[in-house]
Amino acid sequence: AGISLINALQVTVEHSVDDTMSLVAAHLQAKLDSGYTLSVAMTDFPRIFSPVAIALIRLGESNGQVIEQLAQL
């Protein structure tokens, strides 16, 4: 299948040349590790993730198609 979302965020933290992206990925990873859903974690960054993007991820969480929804972004 591939790597988990948490692992993908860790790779982003470790290898991103964009400091903002690294900080956002680290925050999302920490929230996921704490049991929050991705859509809830994304709401902490309203300037980065639009309400539409968050709604798409929430839809993916509800129907088991988060990866497909991520591809739509």
Side-chain angles (χ1 to χ4, degrees), residues 2 7-8 10 16-18 25 29-30 38 40-42 44 47-48 54 56 58 64 67:
N7 289 342
Q10 182 62 39
S16 179
V17 296
D18 182 332
Q29 181 184 19
L38 179 58
V40 169
M42 290 169 65
D44 290 344
R47 292 184 178 191
I48 295 174
I54 294 168
L56 283 171
R58 190 171 293 122
I67 299 302

Side-chain angles (χ1 to χ4, degrees), residues 5 10 23 30 59:
L5 180 57
Q10 182 62 39
L23 291 172
L59 175 64

Side-chain angles (χ1 to χ4, degrees), residues 17 33-34 39 55 69 71:
V17 296
D33 284 339
S34 296
S39 62
Q69 295 304 328

Side-chain angles (χ1 to χ4, degrees), residues 10-69:
Q10 182 62 39
V11 168
T12 302
V13 169
E14 293 172 358
H15 299 286
S16 179
V17 296
D18 182 332
D19 290 340
T20 299
M21 181 62 77
S22 289
L23 291 172
V24 170
H27 180 84
L28 294 175
Q29 181 184 19
K31 294 284 272 204
L32 292 173
D33 284 339
S34 296
Y36 290 91
T37 63
L38 179 58
S39 62
V40 169
M42 290 169 65
T43 63
D44 290 344
F45 299 97
R47 292 184 178 191
I48 295 174
F49 301 110
S50 72
V52 171
I54 294 168
L56 283 171
I57 296 304
R58 190 171 293 122
L59 175 64
E61 291 166 343
S62 70
N63 66 15
Q65 297 184 353
V66 173
I67 299 302
E68 291 81 355
Q69 295 304 328

